[in-house]
Amino acid sequence: IETWRSSDNKDQYLEQSTSHRKIIRRWNQLSRLQRSLVYAFVIILVILLVILLTSKATPTNIKVELNSLKNSSLVNDHQAADSAQTRGRPLVGIINSMLCLKGPGNARQFAVVESFKHAWRGYKDHAWGHDNLKPVSGMSFDWFSLGLTIVDSLDTAYIMGLNEEFEEGKEWIKNELIFTKNKDVNFFEVTIRVLGALLTNFHFTEDVMFLDKAKDLGERLMAAFSSPSGIPYSDVNLGARTAHAPEWSHYSTTAEVTTVQLEFRELSRATNNPMFEEAASSVSEKIHQLPKKHGLVPIFINPNTGHFLPHATITLGARGDSYYEYLLKQWLQTGKTINYLLDDYVTAVEGVREFLAKRSSPNKRLFIGELTSGSESFNPKMDHLTCFLPGTLALGHANGLPDWHMTMAEELLYTCYLTYAAHPTFLAPEITHFNMASTTDDMYTKTADAHSLLRPEFVESLWYMYQITGNTTYQDWGWQIYQGFEKYAKVPNGYTSLANVKAEKPILRDMLESFFLSETLKYLYLLFSDDRFVIDLSKYVMNSEAHPLPIHKN
Ligand code: DMJ
């Protein structure tokens, strides 16, 4: 009635009804053929629309969109995802506001994704559900019987946008991964590789299945802390929930007992149960109280007494490395609120400069040597493992630590690069020895140390340096290393460790370490990204096995 009151509206209404009548008249004037053509056109249009809509809504994408909708700040991430999709790239999507995963964006990244798929396929065909693939013989190997390769590499598949691989790995974890076997496992290895991976996958996907598994595993691993001192035993029987020192020693390894704190803390935060964090943090606190050599620690500690083995080797390589790494990373994980961690880290880096950092001859290459057990005399040898240090130093510098930390990082990273470049395979050996009074060669490789497990530490440091500085030289170095893997370590069923990087035709070791997929390929993929901040170091700490864990406020 109101509408009819206005004469304008009345005119409009009359116009509309006249044009409707015209359309109906025209339709009636059409021949039967013409009408059929129109019907056919409409039906084709509807079919096309249905196809378009269903192809967009694959199961993963539906999940992604539902998760994304939970967070209203994701409008831009959605737009980014859409444009990635229209460029035909794989799309895993955006699960929370901290992540924007678009899949590979350039030829180098695509190549690394292909490498991952190649290794995954070999593992799937020959060793599915076992810990490791033996890619040369096509056999499997079990260490803990926890499907280690699946669990450890799943978040790499996720980051790379490999939906199919991610889903089949997830299904295996959901249906097959159990912790009830009456079997001893290494407390540290299972924590960084399995617990760490489960927590990251939970964080990425918000699928509680991952958290339930992590909780079950974490509760079983708690047995390690049952020693008189609270310093964890090295071995845990997950089924029996018991723990003990290794058969060959009363001691635990220092790096092992101090490289579980990121994971146990994250488990506590995710489950709202402080038990895990308290047990692991108290280890760090106890070690903080112990006397050290300017922040440097012996590599063995007695879980009965809680004291270091006196005069044990001091090294930033095997058994010492990640003690230093986790001091800094725990400080970052807890929003820079636990001061003693930072103090211990800074003191230790000074200790490294004073006692372990030396220069080779004739070219004065900076390297990190060791203080040998017993005599504490300096041994000019450096494990490949030590090449994690440039990345950690750069991370510390990016968070306000002194400039000389960064200078040391740059110089040491170059030495690590040379340990690769020195060999015809362009691959580094497990251990490099340095000359301190030679007129010819700065470094050499003993045949007994010439093997390569395709370890990640160097490419890990390259990624930190690239993210922090933006210098693309680090990408080029990484690409050179990657060529070495492709040329010498690639076999029809995957990638294998090598017995001797000095030989143009290296002997193959027949083992695919899970960290090649979890760490080495993940860091290469991230290193080659045009976007330096895919995993943003202001939001994440990488655990020692390259599983990103979120940074908290405290
Ligand atoms: C990985 O399991 C971890 O990075 C660990 O902290 C050291 N060793 C291997 C990789 O080399």
Side-chain angles (χ1 to χ4, degrees), residues 188-189 192-193 321-322 385 455-457 515 519 544-545:
F188 152 78
E189 296 288 1
I192 62 166
R193 299 190 196 210
D321 49 5
S322 43
L385 290 165
R455 286 191 188 276
E457 291 75 20
F515 55 68
E519 297 195 69
S544 203
E545 191 74 4

Side-chain angles (χ1 to χ4, degrees), residues 129-301:
H130 294 277
D131 285 337
N132 294 92
L133 166 69
K134 289 161 73 72
V136 179
S137 58
M139 308 286 281
S140 61
F141 172 77
D142 278 302
W143 186 14
F144 309 133
S145 297
L146 294 173
L148 202 56
T149 297
I150 299 176
V151 185
D152 209 5
S153 56
L154 199 65
D155 62 349
T156 306
Y158 189 87
I159 288 169
M160 289 179 172
L162 295 173
N163 299 336
E164 201 181 309
E165 288 78 358
F166 179 80
E167 288 301 326
E168 61 196 5
K170 189 180 100 178
E171 281 307 296
W172 186 88
I173 291 175
K174 188 169 134 197
N175 300 322
E176 308 289 339
L177 181 61
I178 51 163
F179 305 116
T180 49
K181 288 178 198 148
N182 183 21
K183 180 160 180 151
D184 284 350
V185 301
N186 179 283
F187 171 62
F188 152 78
E189 296 288 1
V190 170
T191 299
I192 62 166
R193 299 190 196 210
V194 182
L195 183 59
L198 291 170
L199 289 168
T200 295
N201 283 296
F202 170 64
H203 176 76
F204 279 179
T205 64
E206 297 175 5
D207 185 333
V208 286
M209 181 275 292
F210 289 117
L211 185 60
D212 289 343
K213 298 274 176 184
K215 189 166 161 275
D216 182 15
L217 175 59
E219 284 166 357
R220 292 166 189 279
L221 287 170
M222 283 295 286
F225 297 101
S226 62
S227 70
S229 71
I231 300 293
Y233 291 118
S234 72
D235 293 6
V236 177
N237 185 313
L238 292 178
R241 298 178 194 244
T242 56
H244 57 86
E247 266 153 32
W248 49 273
S249 165
H250 292 307
Y251 287 84
S252 296
T253 293
T254 305
E256 293 191 356
V257 301
T258 52
T259 310
V260 295
Q261 285 68 21
L262 293 182
E263 297 79 2
F264 275 75
R265 179 173 291 112
E266 181 55 28
L267 181 59
S268 271
R269 305 294 174 101
T271 57
N272 239 336
N273 180 350
M275 159 179 93
F276 308 105
E277 178 168 0
E278 280 168 10
S281 294
S282 87
V283 176
S284 295
E285 282 154 24
K286 279 175 192 140
I287 289 184
H288 168 65
Q289 302 295 341
L290 294 177
K292 307 175 189 72
K293 190 182 176 78
H294 207 110
L296 304 177
V297 292
I299 59 172
F300 291 112
I301 185 163

Side-chain angles (χ1 to χ4, degrees), residues 428-443:
E430 182 72 357
I431 301 172
T432 300
H433 298 262
F434 290 84
N435 289 316
M436 297 182 73
S438 164
T439 51
T440 51
D441 299 313
D442 287 82
M443 57 181 83

Side-chain angles (χ1 to χ4, degrees), residues 97-124:
S97 59
M98 292 168 73
L99 267 184
C100 180
L101 303 174
K102 300 177 199 164
N106 58 47
R108 287 179 176 182
Q109 281 196 302
F110 272 104
V112 179
V113 170
E114 280 311 311
S115 301
F116 183 95
K117 285 166 79 173
H118 175 68
W120 181 272
R121 211 175 301 126
Y123 169 77
K124 190 179 163 191

Side-chain angles (χ1 to χ4, degrees), residues 300-328:
F300 291 112
I301 185 163
N302 191 322
N304 297 315
T305 65
H307 289 114
F308 290 126
L309 174 65
H311 310 294
T313 294
I314 290 177
T315 175
L316 270 80
R319 300 185 188 279
D321 49 5
S322 43
Y323 161 69
Y324 306 96
E325 176 190 349
Y326 268 34
L327 286 176
L328 180 71

